[in-house]
């Protein structure tokens, strides 16, 4: 039900660009490359949209038509290896807030196929305890878009 609500909220936004969707192979390769499992609601987002630009918000994703700057694998690997502080391996960034901070999937906290979305504040250093912003990707994106 939450996934359908996510689709409805995204589909009803007029000011958006979305992709053609990611294939199951795209998703499997991303999970294997990043060494994580995505929550079901993020997989659903990837399958349906691939990636999205909604208003000024640019959501990372996958698929044949994903813009380079929104490519999930590339951005996650850069945040894990190049940026300071480095994002922990268990976090997968899905949205940059424009100030160098990221909303991330906290994949180490997966329960029943879902994990929370947390806020990684680059100014808080590598040992921070990121703030939980939503109990699932679907819940988070619904609330985030309604508040934007």
């Amino acid at each position: 039900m939450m996934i359908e609500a996510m689709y409805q909220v995204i589909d009803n936004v007029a000011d958006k660009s979305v992709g053609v969707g990611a294939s199951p192979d795209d998703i499997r390769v991303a999970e294997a490359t990043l060494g994580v499992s995505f929550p079901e609601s993020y997989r659903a987002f990837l399958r349906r949209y691939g990636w999205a630009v909604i208003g000024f918000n640019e959501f990372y994703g996958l698929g044949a038509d994903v813009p380079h700057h929104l490519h999930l694998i590339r951005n996650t690997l850069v945040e894990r290896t190049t940026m300071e502080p480095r994002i922990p391996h268990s976090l997968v960034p899905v949205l940059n807030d424009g100030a160098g901070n990221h909303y991330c999937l906290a994949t180490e906290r997966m329960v029943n196929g879902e994990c929370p979305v947390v806020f990684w504040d680059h100014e808080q250093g590598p040992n921070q305890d990121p703030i939980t912003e939503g109990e699932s990707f679907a819940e988070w994106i619904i609330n985030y878009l309604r508040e934007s």
Side-chain angles (χ1 to χ4, degrees):
M1 271 87 56
M2 188 63 78
I3 290 172
E4 289 301 321
M6 173 182 70
Y7 291 158
Q8 186 175 27
V9 168
I10 293 171
D11 290 346
N12 286 333
V13 174
D15 182 17
K16 71 175 176 296
S17 296
V18 297
V20 297
S23 71
D25 282 343
D26 292 333
I27 296 168
R28 275 192 295 277
V29 166
E31 289 177 317
T33 302
L34 300 177
V36 298
S37 293
F38 298 145
E40 186 50 41
S41 59
Y42 189 60
R43 282 189 189 127
F45 170 85
L46 292 171
R47 284 190 303 267
R48 184 159 178 148
Y49 306 107
W51 57 273
V53 176
I54 302 173
F56 295 107
N57 300 296
E58 298 183 322
F59 297 90
Y60 300 160
L62 303 168
D65 64 342
V66 65
H68 180 74
H69 73 287
L70 296 181
H71 199 282
L72 179 69
I73 296 172
R74 183 189 76 80
N75 289 335
T76 302
L77 293 177
V78 165
E79 291 297 328
R80 286 180 180 175
T81 62
T82 305
M83 299 301 183
E84 291 293 335
R86 293 186 174 136
I87 286 182
H89 181 83
S90 62
L91 297 183
V92 177
V94 293
L95 174 68
N96 184 312
D97 74 350
N101 307 306
H102 284 87
Y103 293 92
C104 301
L105 303 171
T107 62
E108 83 284 4
R109 294 170 48 192
M110 193 79 69
V111 175
N112 295 325
E114 289 295 338
C115 68
V117 172
V118 299
F119 186 72
W120 175 261
D121 183 340
H122 76 281
E123 293 181 9
Q124 297 300 312
N127 298 319
Q128 67 184 282
D129 184 17
I131 298 167
T132 299
E133 297 287 335
E135 293 304 315
S136 71
F137 178 80
E139 175 192 297
W140 169 75
I141 198 168
I142 289 167
N143 292 332
Y144 188 85
L145 293 174
R146 286 183 176 157
E147 293 169 6
S148 294

